[in-house]
């Protein structure tokens, strides 16, 4: 992790990670409603801040950066860095996000939060309970940044594996998890109450193993090469 303020040479991602704070909980709830519209009951973010088992990270926008370093458009929307491939589905995602732009509770002067990831630490397992990015910011490396932060945090805390449940139909999230070495370890039948959809249980191999660390280093370096350096304050 590098301290905020120590800006290395090269491209800088306009989003950074830090732990969720009380002031972010309204935005976190808003992001959750966007990412999981059928979730009930909603996550009690304020209470989660006092849950010693839980750790939430947010991806917040670096409005402090010199605009020439930022990979954003004049309107503040994140754009892919020049030369990076943008698939049709990504373009459609971005267009949907643009059309779906809704009122946000974010106010000027507060740090704008684009996504969050929550982990519960149980014995030697880090259980990712939630990860979501605002629709209008998807496809820009923020979900991956959050997952990198979650795995890094779990590694620092000595967890053996990282595990999670994901909807059987959620190919986008599954792609992200597979990229980071999660594999399917089981199914929870009719786990989701809204449509009785199955959940796949996806788990990493031993995250403390040299093999996992090497692959993880490679992937996070590739993320940095593609989207820019991002500060990660994980605590
Ligand atoms: C899943 C989610 C967090 C991904 O966040 P994101 O910021 O859009 O993802 P990124 O831009 O960082 O992409 C990371 C990886 O995700 C996968 N991915 C992202 N968008 C994708 C798309 N449209 N189609 C296929 N795979 C996609 C790819 O593996 C991608 O890696 P790549 O760029 O090397 O191909 C986001 O889509 C989201 O909030 N979805 C709704 C909530 C949700 O489903 N959460 C997961 C619950 S288990």
């Amino acid at each position: 992790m590098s301290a905020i303020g120590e800006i290395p040479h090269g491209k800088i991602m306009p989003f950074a990670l830090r732990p969720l704070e009380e002031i972010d909980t309204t935005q976190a709830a808003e992001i959750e409603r966007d990412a999981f519209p059928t979730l009930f009951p909603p996550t009690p973010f304020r209470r989660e801040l006092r849950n010693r088992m839980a750790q939430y990270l947010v991806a917040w926008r670096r409005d402090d950066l010199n605009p020439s370093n930022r990979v954003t458009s004049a309107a503040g929307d994140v754009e892919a860095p020049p030369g990076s491939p943008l698939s049709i589905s990504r373009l459609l995602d971005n267009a949907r996000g643009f059309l779906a732009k809704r009122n946000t509770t974010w106010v000027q002067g507060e740090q704008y939060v684009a996504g969050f990831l929550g982990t519960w630490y149980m014995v030697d397992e880090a259980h990712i309970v939630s990860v979501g990015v605002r629709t209008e910011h998807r496809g820009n490396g923020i979900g991956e940044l959050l997952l990198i932060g979650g795995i890094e945090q779990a590694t620092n805390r000595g967890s053996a594996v990282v595990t999670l449940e994901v909807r059987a139909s959620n190919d986008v999230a599954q792609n992200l998890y597979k990229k980071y070495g999660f594999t399917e370890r089981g199914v929870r039948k009719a786990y989701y109450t809204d449509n009785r959809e199955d959940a796949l249980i996806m788990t990493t191999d031993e995250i403390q193993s040299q093999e996992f660390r090497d692959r993880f280093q490679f992937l996070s370096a590739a993320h940095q090469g593609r989207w820019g350096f991002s500060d990660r304050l994980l605590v």
Side-chain angles (χ1 to χ4, degrees):
M1 191 201 79
S2 75
I4 289 176
E6 277 175 38
I7 297 182
H9 295 297
K11 194 164 64 190
I12 296 170
M13 191 174 183
F15 290 90
L17 297 184
R18 63 164 172 74
L20 176 81
E21 292 171 10
E22 181 107 19
I23 195 168
D24 309 312
T25 52
T26 310
Q27 287 194 73
E30 182 176 84
I31 296 166
E32 183 176 75
R33 282 194 299 277
D34 177 15
F36 307 103
T38 61
L39 181 73
F40 189 83
T43 303
F45 286 103
R46 273 172 208 272
R47 201 163 71 208
E48 284 290 82
L49 284 170
R50 294 190 301 276
N51 177 353
R52 293 162 67 92
M53 268 169 37
Q55 289 283 333
Y56 282 78
L57 293 174
V58 296
W60 61 280
R61 193 169 62 200
R62 295 286 308 268
D63 291 334
D64 56 322
L65 290 178
N66 176 338
S68 64
N69 290 330
R70 294 179 50 176
V71 193
T72 56
S73 69
D77 293 332
V78 183
E79 289 173 347
S84 76
L86 255 191
S87 66
I88 299 285
S89 65
R90 294 279 172 90
L91 286 169
L92 284 174
D93 263 4
N94 284 350
R96 263 196 297 276
F98 181 76
L99 290 171
K101 239 178 201 147
R102 61 202 71 193
N103 292 333
T104 166
T105 52
W106 170 72
V107 289
Q108 201 85 34
E110 263 179 28
Q111 286 181 343
Y112 174 79
V113 173
F116 72 86
L117 175 139
T119 308
W120 279 26
Y121 286 92
M122 292 181 285
V123 199
D124 60 350
E125 256 186 29
H127 194 133
I128 294 180
V129 289
S130 193
V131 51
V133 172
R134 290 183 192 269
T135 307
E136 57 268 41
H137 291 292
R138 290 187 194 154
N140 291 291
I142 298 172
E144 184 168 344
L145 175 69
L146 285 160
L147 186 64
I148 290 172
I151 295 174
E152 213 160 57
Q153 189 182 61
T155 308
N156 297 345
R157 291 176 63 122
S159 300
V161 295
V162 184
T163 189
L164 50 83
E165 282 96 17
V166 56
R167 282 181 192 261
S169 65
N170 192 345
D171 293 333
V172 170
Q174 286 172 40
N175 283 345
L176 169 61
Y177 305 141
K178 282 180 195 155
K179 182 171 174 182
Y180 279 79
F182 289 72
T183 53
E184 201 182 316
R185 306 290 171 97
V187 176
R188 295 194 205 285
K189 285 283 177 201
Y191 181 74
Y192 296 99
T193 47
D194 58 341
N195 62 355
R196 301 189 49 76
E197 186 173 353
D198 294 346
L200 306 184
I201 302 166
M202 295 186 79
T203 307
T204 60
D205 289 339
E206 258 285 347
I207 60 173
Q208 307 290 347
S209 71
Q210 200 54 49
E211 198 183 342
F212 188 92
R213 283 171 185 261
D214 290 347
R215 184 179 150 84
F216 180 69
Q217 282 306 322
F218 172 81
L219 288 166
S220 35
H223 180 272
Q224 180 169 325
R226 182 175 174 192
W227 300 107
F229 168 85
S230 177
D231 272 310
R232 301 199 287 273
L233 177 65
L234 307 176
V235 183

